């Protein structure tokens, strides 16, 4: 059974381990395969400062991934899934699908009818994952560091 557990400051090393197990994503998003302690701390603090919810994805007492989401984006008043990342050692075992279902149930319980997310252009693996789960493209946006493909799903 998958559960979400809020990440505390004391668990930043777990966050770092999960994030740094995903070299391909880090290279695409940050330009290098492993994030430094400073970059991980900035990720954590940025999440806190923006009001996003950052959780470990737990399978019993084992952390298998991280999920980060915003209940309501101020710009469009929609819930946004910012990050769903599974530790490399646990990929291909269905954890991402289970975590997505848990997230969708959580959003439905909060009365949300749709959810949104962005995929960095060129992240074909993520693009395939999201489109295979019912997310549809609606807009391309140019950010500071990369182009983002925006997707939405009706729950």
């Amino acid at each position: 059974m998958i559960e979400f557990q809020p990440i505390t400051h004391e668990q930043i090393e777990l966050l770092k381990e999960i994030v740094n197990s995903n070299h391909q994503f880090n290279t695409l998003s940050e330009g290098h395969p492993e994030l430094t302690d400073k970059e991980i701390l900035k990720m954590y603090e940025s999440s806190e400062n923006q009001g996003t919810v950052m959780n470990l994805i737990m399978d019993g007492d084992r952390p298998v991934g991280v999920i980060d989401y915003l209940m309501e984006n101020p710009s469009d008043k929609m819930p946004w899934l910012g990050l769903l990342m599974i530790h490399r050692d646990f990929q291909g075992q269905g954890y991402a699908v289970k975590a997505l279902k848990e997230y969708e149930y959580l959003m439905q319980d909060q009365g949300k009818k749709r959810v949104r997310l962005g995929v960095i252009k060129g992240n074909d693996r993520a693009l395939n994952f999201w489109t295979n789960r019912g997310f549809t493209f609606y807009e391309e946006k140019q950010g500071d560091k990369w182009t983002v493909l925006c997707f939405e799903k009706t729950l």
Side-chain angles (χ1 to χ4, degrees), residues 2 4 22 57 59 64-67 81 83-87 90-104 125-126 129-130 133 135 153:
I2 293 294
F4 297 158
N22 288 279
I57 301 167
D59 180 9
V64 297
V66 63
I67 186 168
L81 179 56
L83 180 67
L84 172 58
M85 179 181 283
I86 303 300
H87 190 289
F90 302 110
Q91 291 176 7
Q93 299 177 36
Y95 285 115
V97 173
K98 291 175 187 173
L100 176 59
K101 285 181 182 176
E102 188 66 29
Y103 168 75
E104 289 175 351
R125 186 173 178 198
F129 177 83
W130 297 116
R133 273 139 201 100
F135 284 82
K153 181 177 182 179

Side-chain angles (χ1 to χ4, degrees), residues 24-37:
Q24 185 178 3
F25 177 79
N26 293 342
T27 300
L28 183 64
S29 67
E30 301 300 325
H32 49 277
E34 291 198 6
L35 277 60
T36 64
D37 288 348

Side-chain angles (χ1 to χ4, degrees), residues 128-151:
N128 289 335
F129 177 83
W130 297 116
T131 56
N132 287 337
R133 273 139 201 100
F135 284 82
T136 56
F137 173 81
Y138 71 90
E139 183 178 31
E140 183 174 305
K141 290 187 177 184
Q142 184 60 48
D144 293 338
K145 294 162 63 172
W146 51 74
T147 301
V148 176
L149 306 174
C150 299
F151 290 82

